[in-house]
Amino acid sequence: CVRCAIRFLCLHNVQLFNLSEDELVAFFHSLPETSALRLEPYPREVAPCTLCLGILQDSRERKEPMYRAQLEKSLKDCKHHYKNFQFCLSLPFASIVREMVLIKQLEHDLKSSIDQ
């Protein structure tokens, strides 16, 4: 998916992930290092990204209302005294394993192409 491609460019600006997929594709193609590569959006309806398991695949406009509604409902139902909270996420372990496998494969492929 587009966001995983951006992730593996080692760009650590979290605000990039708030961009739409079309904006991310335009950003990707504007980088000098990626001029020879072609990147196109891959909709989740076709299949979830095999690397992030579809977690990063949907746009913010699509995800945020769904999660916001779920959070608001849960907060109202729990009857806690405090209304402020901190929201923390953790990735499924499978996505971390897949990421490490991909990194090792890229290292191997790049080393092989450099050695030739």
Side-chain angles (χ1 to χ4, degrees), residues 6-109:
I6 296 293
R7 242 178 5 136
F8 283 102
L9 290 175
C10 297
L11 302 172
H12 301 289
N13 184 350
V14 176
Q15 296 304 319
L16 283 173
F17 292 93
N18 288 331
L19 298 175
S20 70
E21 287 195 353
D22 293 332
E23 291 170 324
L24 285 173
V25 168
F27 172 76
F28 181 86
H29 292 298
S30 72
L31 297 171
E33 302 88 13
T34 61
S35 58
L37 302 174
R38 186 81 193 126
L39 179 67
E40 295 180 16
Y42 190 73
R44 188 177 181 156
E45 291 79 27
V46 175
C49 172
T50 55
L51 190 58
C52 71
L53 306 174
I55 294 169
L56 299 175
Q57 209 163 356
D58 284 332
S59 67
R60 178 180 171 194
E61 295 82 23
R62 186 172 165 174
K63 282 183 185 177
E64 190 171 323
M66 176 182 62
Y67 292 130
R68 185 180 301 237
Q70 288 175 353
L71 282 170
E72 287 174 355
K73 182 181 180 316
S74 296
L75 285 174
K76 286 178 186 174
D77 293 347
C78 71
K79 307 266 192 271
H80 284 294
H81 177 72
Y82 299 102
K83 298 299 179 193
N84 295 333
F85 65 97
Q86 184 177 10
F87 189 66
C88 299
L89 296 174
S90 60
L91 291 174
F93 188 72
S95 66
I96 296 168
V97 170
R98 288 172 188 230
E99 184 172 320
M100 294 308 299
V101 167
L102 179 67
I103 289 170
K104 292 294 181 190
Q105 184 64 43
L106 287 172
E107 287 174 351
H108 178 267
D109 291 349

